[in-house]
Amino acid sequence: MKSIYSKLIIGFLVSILFSFSIAGYFSLRKNSSELGRLTVEELEGSSQHIADLLGLIDSEDLPHVLQGYANTSEISFFIECNGKKEVYGKVGYLGLSNKDYQKLQRVGTVLVSSDSSLRKMAKSYEINGEVCIIYVQKDVGRREMIFVDSAILAVFCMLIAGSITFLIIADIIVKPISRLNKATNELSKGNYRVRVNYAGNDEIARLNRSFNLMAQQLAKQEETRQQFISDVSHEFQTPLTAIQGFTTILKNESLTDEQREKYANIILFHTKRLSTLSKNMLQLTVLEGEDVKLDISEFSLTEQLNRVIETQQTLAENKDIEIEVNMPKNDVRIEADEARLEQVWINLVNNAIKYTNEHGVVTVSVKRTLKELEVKIQDTGVGMSKEAISHIFERFYRQDKSRSIEGNGLGLSIVKRIIDLHKGTIDVVSVEDGGSEFTVKFPQERSFHFPDKLNITNKDH
């Protein structure tokens, strides 16, 4: 039974046969019981009618009248008066057992049933001063067979009609599944443009919509993968080409020591760039893994931000950029992964300095509320377009297409992933030639602590 059609049909037939077997069994029992009750009432009436005939009709005409009654009523009976027995009808006298006879003498009426279809009754009457036993019997097998035949015909008609209806319904159910199966095969071959159409709001429609959504996501992932390969190739190819070219130049024996040092420094710069790129790619791969674990500990966020600002101070001074710090008077402590969170601040502050022109300002602010902690890093740099903001956290994306500013486009992807792992959010507001503002927020449940006493002395840089 490989096909769902065969499974559905067999299941339908089994359920129909089982249900009708149960229903038929109880229906037949009910019909037999009701038929038996009606037959007993009929036999009692016939027995009384025969007794009335015996008392009213002359003995000469009585046999003819009784035989006529037996023929028209489909009842067979015999009469026993003072040892004399007379039989009327098609069924012969079967007699009474001694036990039934004794019960008849004691009660006056006895029911006898020799088989399932033949109903019998014996009753004693006093007629014209004589005690007579009237024994009546009727075959109800024909009536029972009429009911059985009607039931079988009804079952057959319902089975045919139900099968046709079920096949139509099964076809309605199976066809969309078959189309979905074909679409899945196409998807497995790499055709991410395949879609299935099914109108409605039932389970199959929801399944089709889920499939279409999956296909769209896979298409997007495939596009991202291709772009990733292209970006990685470009990021590696550029420094490798430079290294190869300047290494070839260094083979020239006529170069001066000053030229050799210059070219060696260029090679060293590009090797460091490759090393940083490899480390960032490896780190991003680890962060995006399902089993990434954070080393949660409690530490001073104020102290951490001050430390990060100190490490970036030299880069800021080289461009005559002022770093302003706005923090609460009291120390702010947080439970988080200290090393990874420090990388977030390093990336954001470093980017702010890199994309800020000389004599600009970078501001680092910390704000706390009852619900969340907010860290804001603002610059007066070149800013970003709306298009750039929508892609800023994607791998290798850089607004500076000329790549005049050092970087590999992975820093903000790493920042976003670390913040997500800490259940925080990061928002960007930027205006071209008007600077950018990155706002990082963590929910209060990250267990921030705000001591009443000052533990760390903040310094403005």
Side-chain angles (χ1 to χ4, degrees), residues 321-379:
I321 293 175
E322 180 183 358
I323 301 180
E324 295 183 353
V325 181
N326 299 317
M327 295 188 186
K329 295 181 179 180
N330 294 340
D331 182 30
V332 178
R333 301 186 67 78
I334 183 176
E335 290 182 359
D337 189 321
E338 184 175 5
R340 296 195 188 280
L341 205 58
E342 184 163 327
Q343 187 175 6
V344 169
W345 312 133
I346 291 174
N347 273 284
L348 292 178
V349 173
N350 184 266
N351 275 355
I353 296 173
K354 285 193 300 183
Y355 287 95
T356 298
N357 297 325
E358 293 182 353
H359 315 300
V361 178
V362 173
T363 305
V364 179
S365 305
V366 178
K367 180 182 178 182
R368 63 188 185 187
T369 65
L370 294 176
K371 293 183 178 180
E372 59 189 9
L373 176 68
E374 177 184 288
V375 178
K376 185 178 296 184
I377 299 174
Q378 186 176 11
D379 63 64

Side-chain angles (χ1 to χ4, degrees), residues 111-147:
L111 293 175
V112 183
S113 181
S114 59
D115 55 60
S116 60
S117 62
L118 194 61
R119 301 293 190 269
K120 307 173 184 179
M121 174 183 287
K123 192 170 184 179
S124 62
Y125 295 90
E126 186 176 347
I127 303 172
N128 298 326
E130 297 180 355
V131 177
C132 297
I133 297 175
I134 301 176
Y135 184 96
V136 293
Q137 58 188 15
K138 185 173 184 177
D139 189 356
V140 296
R142 184 179 176 184
R143 291 186 181 180
E144 291 181 343
M145 287 306 301
I146 291 175
F147 176 81

Side-chain angles (χ1 to χ4, degrees), residues 296-299 333-337 422 446-449:
I296 302 297
S297 62
E298 182 181 331
F299 59 92
R333 301 186 67 78
I334 183 176
E335 290 182 359
D337 189 321
H422 284 82
R446 290 304 314 165
S447 301
F448 301 106
H449 302 281

Side-chain angles (χ1 to χ4, degrees), residues 279-316:
K279 289 179 181 178
N280 285 342
M281 289 180 61
L282 177 60
Q283 184 176 19
L284 189 58
T285 301
V286 171
L287 289 173
E288 290 183 343
E290 295 182 358
D291 56 346
V292 60
K293 295 181 179 179
L294 297 177
D295 185 13
I296 302 297
S297 62
E298 182 181 331
F299 59 92
S300 170
L301 179 64
T302 306
E303 182 179 317
Q304 184 183 61
L305 287 170
N306 285 330
R307 183 170 60 248
V308 169
I309 292 171
E310 288 177 359
T311 61
Q312 301 297 313
Q313 188 64 35
T314 301
L315 179 62

Side-chain angles (χ1 to χ4, degrees), residues 387-401:
E387 175 68 16
I389 293 175
S390 64
H391 300 284
I392 193 66
F393 297 112
E394 295 178 4
R395 293 177 177 181
F396 296 108
Y397 180 82
R398 297 182 66 185
Q399 185 179 15
D400 177 27
K401 301 300 181 182

